[in-house]
Amino acid sequence: MTLKTPHINRRSVLLGASALPLSAALASPALAAADMMGVGSTRFNRMKLGNFEVTTLLVGTRTVEGPHNIFGLNASDEDFASASAQANIPTDKAQFFFTPTVVNTGSELVLFDTGLNPDSITGALKAAGYSPDQIDTVVITHMHGDHIGGVAGENGVTFPNARHVTGAVEFDAWSKTDGNKAFEAKLRPNAERFDMIDDGASVASGITAVAAFGHTPGHMTYRLESEGKQLHLAADFANHYVWSLARPDWEVKFDMDKSAAAQTRRRMLDMMAADKIPFVGYHMPWPAVGYVETKDDAFQYVPASYQLMM
């Protein structure tokens, strides 16, 4: 059997197009405008570290004006502008990120810091597949409001089944100081729920406290180790990947003891760069995971790619 291919010429194509109803022509995707959706991001990022699963949670992000009023307080306008230009970031505003972390050891679910408020942390946990009642341990690295805001709310504690852990030096310092509204509202009323620990304490198998004082009186970081692999939960040792991490001697408004904070930054950056240990920084660009490399007499931040997916 022979099939005949119909002859198609330019005239037949034009006639066919003219026969289409006007509604079909107007429905063409090329003519339909899409709604502006706004800037968006995921709420969680899950990684593998040996036998651990490590999940960073984005509980909030906001644009802040005038970053030189916060970072590089001892740097000239010219130096601040130069460092910003090298990193291709503006000098008039910065984007802040707030990133608690969940570690699943296989036997315990450990949450590090609780974000800005109960709703933001429980929302991010839900997006990641967890519920507040699954959290076995809540670890507070330090007691600034953006780290303890989710500890409790109007309905009581957010994580009713969890033991709560924090540094003894940090708790004692804030308990003797006036002015920390978040501490008074969230932690002091729930002090009996907290276990106090010191440098070198084990929070869970493979999770060790590491003192990193300066940002606050008892600021703590945590080293994760599983199957020979390490990752550092570095909290607020550096608050910006350029103006704080890459310039460790630049003073930061939020550091309570600026000299001690700078010494802590250099010590931690030296360690992570030498040992090639990845870290989670609470305020690093989302998803808040990266490495440190030496550069001249300072450092530079290198975002993680797929190293922690395998």
Side-chain angles (χ1 to χ4, degrees), residues 4-48:
K4 293 184 178 180
T5 302
H7 177 68
I8 300 175
N9 57 32
R10 181 174 181 274
R11 184 172 181 274
S12 64
V13 171
L14 292 174
L15 286 173
S18 67
L20 289 173
L22 181 60
S23 60
L26 292 177
S28 169
L31 299 178
D35 293 335
M36 293 292 185
M37 303 296 289
V39 175
S41 181
T42 59
R43 296 291 304 275
F44 74 95
N45 179 67
R46 185 168 290 122
M47 304 164 285
K48 177 179 173 61

Side-chain angles (χ1 to χ4, degrees), residues 17-281:
S18 67
L20 289 173
L22 181 60
S23 60
L26 292 177
S28 169
L31 299 178
D35 293 335
M36 293 292 185
M37 303 296 289
V39 175
S41 181
T42 59
R43 296 291 304 275
F44 74 95
N45 179 67
R46 185 168 290 122
M47 304 164 285
K48 177 179 173 61
L49 185 78
N51 290 326
F52 289 1
E53 283 188 347
V54 181
T55 305
T56 55
L57 304 171
L58 184 62
V59 298
T61 181
R62 63 188 177 95
T63 303
V64 177
E65 305 288 336
H68 196 189
N69 296 320
I70 300 171
F71 301 100
L73 300 183
N74 56 338
S76 67
D77 290 341
E78 293 75 17
D79 286 345
F80 189 83
S82 176
S84 303
Q86 291 175 28
N88 196 30
I89 54 177
T91 58
D92 62 333
K93 61 184 66 174
Q95 194 69 22
F96 279 24
F97 303 88
F98 305 88
T99 316
T101 300
V102 176
V103 178
N104 188 345
T105 68
S107 57
E108 293 185 59
L109 201 60
V110 185
L111 172 66
F112 290 84
D113 291 330
T114 65
L116 304 159
N117 53 62
D119 287 343
S120 64
I121 186 63
T122 56
L125 281 168
K126 181 179 180 180
Y130 303 122
S131 61
D133 59 351
Q134 287 181 292
I135 301 298
D136 296 298
T137 304
V138 173
V139 180
I140 299 299
T141 62
H142 65 291
M143 296 179 186
H144 280 162
D146 56 326
H147 294 255
I148 63 176
V151 166
E154 294 180 357
N155 298 321
V157 293
T158 308
F159 307 98
N161 300 326
R163 73 181 182 113
H164 291 57
V165 176
T166 195
V169 173
E170 180 78 354
F171 189 94
D172 289 347
W174 288 111
S175 67
K176 300 172 184 176
T177 303
D178 294 328
N180 187 336
K181 294 181 180 179
F183 175 85
E184 297 300 332
K186 309 286 185 172
L187 265 71
R188 195 186 292 276
N190 297 297
E192 74 283 353
R193 300 185 68 92
F194 279 83
D195 294 333
M196 304 298 167
I197 62 171
D198 295 309
D199 182 30
S202 175
V203 172
S205 179
I207 303 178
T208 305
V210 179
F213 300 169
H215 179 64
T216 58
H219 179 272
M220 296 281 256
T221 62
Y222 291 84
R223 184 175 63 251
L224 309 182
E225 297 182 76
S226 178
E227 296 293 300
K229 296 184 177 182
Q230 293 188 21
L231 182 145
H232 212 91
L233 300 181
D236 281 16
F237 90 105
N239 292 121
H240 190 275
Y241 77 109
V242 175
W243 303 318
S244 183
L245 185 152
R247 299 294 191 276
D249 298 323
W250 280 11
E251 294 181 354
V252 180
K253 177 182 178 180
F254 302 126
D255 290 342
M256 296 179 66
D257 185 331
K258 293 174 173 51
S259 177
Q263 293 175 23
T264 290
R265 274 194 290 278
R266 283 207 169 265
R267 172 174 58 82
M268 290 187 62
L269 291 166
D270 278 332
M271 177 270 294
M272 290 188 289
D275 297 338
K276 300 185 184 301
I277 298 175
F279 76 100
V280 174

